[in-house]
């Protein structure tokens, strides 16, 4: 969860359904432990961004994801940190083969390093044919609650909202 409450979700391979519920809700509140609180997405979470893909196209999508570059010709500002992203087909733990989502799709975990513009990265990945959903939840949460190691709890709102209130 970054300073604007953008989040990476999908460790359990259900981010399509989670995103549908989040969009249908009146208010999205994130609850996490202190280890998931960071200034930028990807600063602490190194397992990558889950991307749900059609099994028919996963190899092609993997190649396209790995060809992405941190800047676009139309905008020199970097969207993410790594010059050479890595995409890996998520493998099942207690069975042979890849993880299959409840929707019958595969998951590619895409490592981009730090993500500087989560909404733009989300849109960029979704433009690839065969991508079903991306595990970036941007501009959706209104607050986040973090449980700390000492048992205390901290509530945060997006950094941009704090500036508006000042």
């Amino acid at each position: 969860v970054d300073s604007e409450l953008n989040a990476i979700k999908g460790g359990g391979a259900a981010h399509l359904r989670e995103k549908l519920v989040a969009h249908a809700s009146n208010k999205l509140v994130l609850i996490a432990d202190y280890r998931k609180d960071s200034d930028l997405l990807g600063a602490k979470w190194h397992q990558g961004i889950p991307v749900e893909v059609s099994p028919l196209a996963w190899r092609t999508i993997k190649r396209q994801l790995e060809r992405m570059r941190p800047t676009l010709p139309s905008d020199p500002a970097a969207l993410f940190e790594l010059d050479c992203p890595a995409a890996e087909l998520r493998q099942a733990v207690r069975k042979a083969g890849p993880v299959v989502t409840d929707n019958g799709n595969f998951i590619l975990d895409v490592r981009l390093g730090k993500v500087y513009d989560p909404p733009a990265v989300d849109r960029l990945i979704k433009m690839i044919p065969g991508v079903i959903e991306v595990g970036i939840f941007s501009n959706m949460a209104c607050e986040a609650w973090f449980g700390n190691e000492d048992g205390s709890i901290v509530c945060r709102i997006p950094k941009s909202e704090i500036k508006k209130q000042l």
Side-chain angles (χ1 to χ4, degrees), residues 24-140:
S25 68
N26 291 328
K27 180 178 182 179
L28 177 63
V29 176
L30 301 173
I31 300 173
D33 71 47
Y34 66 96
R35 295 172 296 179
K36 296 189 178 173
D37 186 9
S38 66
D39 288 333
L40 293 169
L41 293 185
K44 292 183 179 180
W45 177 258
H46 304 288
Q47 287 84 344
I49 298 165
V51 178
E52 187 167 347
V53 300
S54 167
L56 190 63
W58 79 265
R59 285 181 181 87
T60 302
I61 296 167
K62 178 183 185 310
R63 281 192 299 274
Q64 289 178 300
L65 289 166
E66 290 176 338
R67 287 187 197 135
M68 287 191 326
R69 293 299 168 249
T71 58
L72 300 173
S74 60
D75 185 0
L79 302 177
F80 54 86
E81 178 182 24
L82 298 181
D83 287 331
C84 297
E88 189 175 311
L89 183 65
R90 189 180 297 175
Q91 295 296 315
V93 175
R94 294 189 194 149
K95 73 169 192 79
V99 167
V100 178
T101 69
D102 291 342
N103 307 309
N105 298 309
F106 291 170
I107 299 289
L108 290 172
D109 291 309
V110 183
R111 287 186 296 285
L112 303 172
K114 295 174 187 166
V115 178
Y116 305 121
D117 190 341
V121 170
D122 185 47
R123 287 189 304 271
L124 183 65
I125 295 172
K126 282 182 181 173
M127 288 175 31
I128 300 171
V131 169
I132 310 298
E133 191 53 83
V134 179
I136 295 176
F137 285 57
S138 58
N139 303 318
M140 297 176 74

